[in-house]
Amino acid sequence: MKIYHLSHTDLDGYSCQFVSNFYLKNIEFYNSNYGKEIDKKMSHIISKIGNDKAVILITDLNLTKTQCQSYEEQLKDKNVKLILLDHHQTGAECSQIFPWYYLDNSRSATKICYDFFSAMFGADERLEAYCNVVNAVDIWLKNDPNFELGKVCMGAIAGAKEINKVMFEKEHIEYIFYLIKNFCEFLSLNNAHIELDNRLHGIKKEFFYLKNDDTLSNLNSNYLVRHLTSNSDKFSIDYRGSRGILTYNIGSASVIGNDFLVANPEFKFFIDITSKKSMSFRSNGDFDVSQMAKELCDGGGHKNASGGFFAGFIDSYNYDEIKSQVVNLINKKTGEQ
């Protein structure tokens, strides 16, 4: 039986998935902020479900009554069990109406999730200790002995932007789980919050380490270049007969762009577009991205490094939708198809 687990994009939300991954197998993980993104992710999940039995588990996300009704309607002809475990008081009305909507505002969603699964499959002392750390910071128990460690964990997850979740959803959750697994190593230490804070940079580097040590930026770039290269068909675009790569909110576009182009000389340019509509253009060699930036978005700059602003860009949670907008922009400006 397939399980689809949709959760929030913070420490509490990811920790719910860490708990479900501890107890269950055959899970696909998805993450969302509130509002329309939930609908987008749910539509994607529902579209993947065939006639087989499945469970959709939603954690650390509160739904509106309209959303609950819509999901029930979309699932009425499918063999799917819907479960929601949450702690946000704004879902109180829904919890009274829908039997699959469980709400308890006295515990974090992670704590609810752990209590739910451990009651069925058995307790785990270390996992429970970690869940207590998340609980302390998520519902802000300032006098709890776990609170300071929870703050460090919360900041670490909030700052874990090395792998973009829109482009690399599976790799992103793998990275988050790796960090959480390492958090658990500090639970029994004196001054655990200080020890983890001191070690965090090294822990991140160890995830990206392949052969030789380097800066976190370079290790991260090498990791992303490998994944961009192995998925180059998905991320490639064409401009006036030249092939390039398109990324979204990749971060450190100069470093990653140059590293990718050096490793893949058949690609002539590298574009990163951000949620703020800015575009970074990079090349390595004779390809002039300043002219490209000027033509596409009235931008400009240097031959190998330019920028621009795509005023008509509509941010999306789906890479294919992002790529489609850039491809349409190129076709419109160049007159090519």
Side-chain angles (χ1 to χ4, degrees), residues 64-329:
T64 65
K65 182 179 177 181
T66 300
Q67 285 176 317
C68 292
Q69 291 170 334
S70 173
Y71 302 156
E72 280 195 342
E73 177 64 23
Q74 293 177 64
L75 292 168
K76 67 178 182 179
D77 296 324
K78 295 182 180 289
N79 193 7
V80 175
K81 184 175 181 61
L82 190 59
I83 302 171
L84 184 142
L85 305 175
D86 190 35
H87 67 131
H88 296 102
Q89 189 59 35
T90 43
E93 180 186 6
C94 292
S95 69
Q96 298 300 315
I97 299 172
F98 302 96
W100 47 267
Y101 197 120
Y102 180 79
L103 175 71
D104 179 359
N105 65 2
S106 69
R107 295 174 288 167
S108 67
T110 297
K111 184 68 171 172
I112 294 169
C113 202
Y114 173 77
D115 291 344
F116 178 81
F117 285 114
S118 64
M120 290 186 287
F121 304 117
D124 182 87
E125 185 176 350
R126 190 161 81 152
L127 182 60
E128 182 176 8
Y130 170 71
C131 293
N132 288 336
V133 170
V134 178
N135 188 71
V137 71
D138 195 71
I139 61 175
W140 215 249
L141 303 176
K142 293 178 68 174
N143 295 321
D144 190 296
N146 293 307
F147 182 71
E148 290 298 329
L149 179 57
K151 281 169 57 181
V152 178
C153 295
M154 180 173 64
I157 295 301
K161 301 183 185 300
E162 287 80 7
I163 303 175
N164 182 274
K165 70 184 182 70
V166 173
M167 295 185 66
F168 302 109
E169 194 163 37
K170 181 180 177 181
E171 291 79 8
H172 174 78
I173 197 70
E174 180 185 355
Y175 181 45
I176 296 296
F177 283 0
Y178 164 84
L179 292 176
I180 294 175
K181 183 178 179 181
N182 275 274
F183 297 165
C184 294
E185 299 297 324
F186 292 80
L187 294 171
S188 61
L189 300 183
N190 293 327
N191 294 317
H193 58 297
I194 299 173
E195 294 295 331
L196 175 57
D197 189 62
N198 288 340
R199 277 278 294 123
L200 191 56
H201 187 75
I203 289 170
K204 286 187 171 186
K205 287 179 64 174
E206 287 162 10
F207 178 85
F208 297 108
Y209 183 90
L210 185 62
K211 292 182 180 179
N212 300 312
D213 194 13
D214 209 328
T215 64
L216 176 59
S217 175
N218 287 339
L219 292 171
N220 180 218
S221 179
N222 290 337
Y223 174 92
L224 292 174
V225 166
R226 292 196 303 273
H227 283 275
L228 286 170
T229 301
S230 62
N231 294 278
S232 60
D233 287 344
K234 176 180 179 179
F235 300 124
S236 66
I237 56 173
D238 294 308
Y239 170 79
R240 295 195 175 280
S242 295
R243 192 181 186 200
I245 209 85
L246 174 70
T247 62
Y248 169 76
N249 278 344
I250 198 72
S252 301
S254 293
V255 174
I256 298 168
N258 183 72
D259 287 350
F260 176 84
L261 294 168
V262 169
N264 299 273
E266 68 273 21
F267 287 85
K268 302 304 179 184
F269 62 88
F270 181 101
I271 302 176
D272 183 65
I273 187 166
T274 75
S275 51
K276 296 181 179 180
K277 306 188 180 195
S278 63
M279 300 181 75
S280 295
F281 299 81
R282 299 291 183 268
S283 66
N284 179 51
D286 295 332
F287 192 89
D288 189 348
V289 290
S290 68
Q291 293 301 311
M292 183 182 189
K294 180 180 179 180
E295 180 175 31
L296 294 184
C297 52
D298 295 322
H302 302 287
K303 178 181 177 180
N304 296 129
S306 292
F309 186 78
F310 185 179
F313 177 68
I314 300 173
D315 198 19
S316 176
Y317 322 111
N318 182 286
Y319 175 80
D320 291 336
E321 293 178 0
I322 292 166
K323 179 179 177 178
S324 177
Q325 293 182 71
V326 175
V327 170
N328 289 339
L329 175 68

Side-chain angles (χ1 to χ4, degrees), residues 40-59:
K40 289 274 189 177
K41 291 296 177 75
M42 281 294 290
S43 293
H44 177 71
I45 291 170
I46 292 171
S47 71
K48 296 190 69 175
I49 298 174
N51 298 320
D52 296 332
K53 287 184 178 180
V55 172
I56 298 177
L57 172 64
I58 303 171
T59 55

